Amino acid sequence: MALTVTRLLVPARAAALRSGRLIQKASIHTTSVRSLQYGFWAYILGERTTPRLKQSSKIITVDGNLASGKGELAQKLADNLGMLYMPEADTFYMDKMTGEKEPLPLDYNGMCSLERFYTDPKAADGNSYRLQLWMYLMRLLQYSDAIEHLLVTGQGVILERSPFSDMVFLEAMFKQGYIRKECVEHYNQIKNISVNEFLPPHLVIYVDVPAEDVQRKLKQSGKSYLQNVPLQYLKSIEDSYKKSFLPSIRETSEVLAYDAVQAQDVEKVTEDIENLKFEKGPWRDQGDVDFHHMRVLAGNKDRVAALTQIPVFLPEITIGSHDYDQKYHAYKLLPGKKFAPGYNEDVGDKYIWLK
């Protein structure tokens, strides 16, 4: 049985993240298992997206190498522009979506480790590609959250990286010999049938920091597993950004590029954004019907995750049926996982018989 690299249970509707806190969207009264969600009848009864979209209703991603300062820039820009800031998705992003008090074990988070990747990037068990594929899924889910938030509220969103730029890490891994050619082919298949379901960002901001400076900053960080990241790997990421991602994304999105010093002048960057006319890209050609279909997709996290599933045998991401069955039952034994949310006495759910 192929490991699909998704949790056994994907939340049907994710909460937006603001500064690391879960922000619940307002909704009509719901029970634990039955909720009223946006769908066909809402559109038929007159719910429309375009009336709530404003000049600032944009998806903006801030990209750059590791330790390039993109997170600080993204957060300050969100404050200046009145947009929602979504910190970069990590390997435990799904735990944040489901509101876990503590991160679940790695067995339920892609069976991969970021720390292990940096300390042993050529691990024989395929950790590097499992991590890459898992992170693509996390970025895809987060991007669907951003799309959903924009279409539901009209508020723009600023993210750190996106599933559109995730390929820079894949190319760098392959160039350094961390993953096989078959993994690259598998990744490209998945990306082609998943990310194309979403519109690209309105604007991509690239923070250009030389790989040598990035390595120096990583060595100064307090994380031991970042102390020895190879310079060639960091250069490969930089090359992939400049030679692959940025030239391709320019066809559909506005692009602004700054060096490390320029990126610190947030007021100037804000002014540059406000002066853009946003005349390119598919967003300008969308109508209420298009937004309706995209909103339905973005709100269905099971469907979003399913876009990344291809029934193919690949040793890096494949486990046996017995191992899968064991992990499934182990997951069900975790606190609050045996039944649907709100129906688990072991985590303090009450009045179950009335629901």
Side-chain angles (χ1 to χ4, degrees), residues 242-253:
K242 294 180 178 179
K243 297 178 180 179
S244 297
F245 172 65
L246 292 177
S248 64
I249 202 67
R250 285 183 191 276
E251 298 178 5
T252 57
S253 307

Side-chain angles (χ1 to χ4, degrees), residues 4 13 26 29 57 107 143 166 182 202 205-206 246 252 272 294 296 308 354:
T4 56
R13 188 169 182 231
H29 172 73
S57 299
D107 274 355
Y143 196 76
D166 180 77
E182 290 78 4
H202 293 82
I205 299 174
Y206 177 64
L246 292 177
T252 57
D272 290 344
M294 193 183 314
V296 170
T308 66
L354 290 175

Side-chain angles (χ1 to χ4, degrees), residues 100-101 329-352 355:
E100 303 293 341
K101 295 181 179 179
H329 289 290
Y331 177 79
K332 286 297 184 181
L333 291 176
L334 294 175
K337 303 303 179 186
K338 186 174 183 180
F339 303 110
Y343 287 78
N344 296 278
E345 289 183 327
D346 61 334
V347 292
D349 294 337
K350 298 180 179 180
Y351 310 113
I352 295 176
K355 299 177 180 178

Side-chain angles (χ1 to χ4, degrees), residues 91-326:
T91 54
F92 298 102
Y93 182 74
M94 197 176 291
D95 287 339
K96 297 173 184 176
M97 293 171 65
T98 54
E100 303 293 341
K101 295 181 179 179
E102 296 181 359
L104 296 182
L106 296 181
D107 274 355
Y108 315 115
N109 279 291
M111 297 176 61
C112 57
S113 168
L114 181 64
E115 294 184 20
R116 189 174 174 215
F117 165 71
Y118 285 118
T119 55
D120 185 16
K122 295 184 179 181
D125 68 347
N127 175 74
S128 293
Y129 184 58
R130 282 198 306 279
L131 173 67
Q132 178 61 32
L133 194 60
W134 181 252
M135 284 307 304
Y136 175 77
L137 173 59
M138 295 303 99
R139 290 192 172 104
L140 189 69
L141 288 171
Q142 185 186 52
Y143 196 76
S144 72
D145 284 348
I147 292 287
E148 185 181 12
H149 181 83
L150 174 68
L151 298 182
V152 171
T153 69
Q155 183 186 26
V157 183
I158 297 185
L159 310 90
E160 297 174 48
R161 298 199 179 102
S162 73
F164 292 87
S165 61
D166 180 77
M167 41 73 64
V168 300
F169 297 100
L170 178 88
E171 291 187 358
M173 286 183 180
F174 180 63
K175 190 172 182 179
Q176 298 305 312
Y178 300 162
I179 59 177
R180 301 181 301 130
K181 181 180 178 180
E182 290 78 4
C183 295
V184 176
E185 294 172 349
H186 178 258
Y187 177 95
N188 288 333
Q189 280 184 297
I190 284 180
K191 183 177 180 181
N192 288 337
I193 64 175
S194 56
V195 77
N196 290 335
E197 293 295 320
F198 296 96
L199 296 178
H202 293 82
L203 167 64
V204 172
I205 299 174
Y206 177 64
V207 182
D208 186 8
V209 178
E212 292 80 4
D213 293 344
V214 170
Q215 188 183 53
R216 192 177 306 112
K217 289 183 178 181
L218 293 177
K219 288 182 179 296
Q220 296 171 355
S221 71
K223 299 177 180 178
S224 59
Y225 60 89
L226 294 177
Q227 301 297 315
N228 298 306
V229 178
L231 179 60
Q232 288 304 314
Y233 174 67
L234 298 173
K235 285 186 175 181
S236 293
I237 294 175
E238 181 181 351
D239 289 344
S240 184
Y241 263 122
K242 294 180 178 179
K243 297 178 180 179
S244 297
F245 172 65
L246 292 177
S248 64
I249 202 67
R250 285 183 191 276
E251 298 178 5
T252 57
S253 307
E254 303 289 346
V255 174
L256 294 174
Y258 303 93
D259 61 30
V261 175
Q262 293 170 331
Q264 294 178 6
D265 189 350
V266 182
E267 299 303 324
K268 177 61 168 62
V269 178
T270 302
E271 183 180 349
D272 290 344
I273 295 174
E274 292 175 336
N275 288 333
L276 288 174
K277 296 182 179 180
F278 293 100
E279 295 180 338
K280 65 167 64 172
W283 282 92
R284 300 177 70 253
D285 302 324
Q286 306 303 305
D288 275 310
V289 174
D290 305 295
F291 288 137
H292 161 72
H293 290 297
M294 193 183 314
R295 182 173 168 184
V296 170
L297 171 61
N300 189 336
K301 305 308 173 186
D302 284 319
R303 184 178 167 195
V304 173
L307 293 172
T308 66
Q309 310 311 309
I310 297 178
V312 63
F313 174 79
L314 197 65
E316 287 84 350
I317 61 168
T318 303
I319 62 174
S321 57
H322 293 294
D323 193 7
Y324 180 90
D325 187 65
Q326 183 181 29

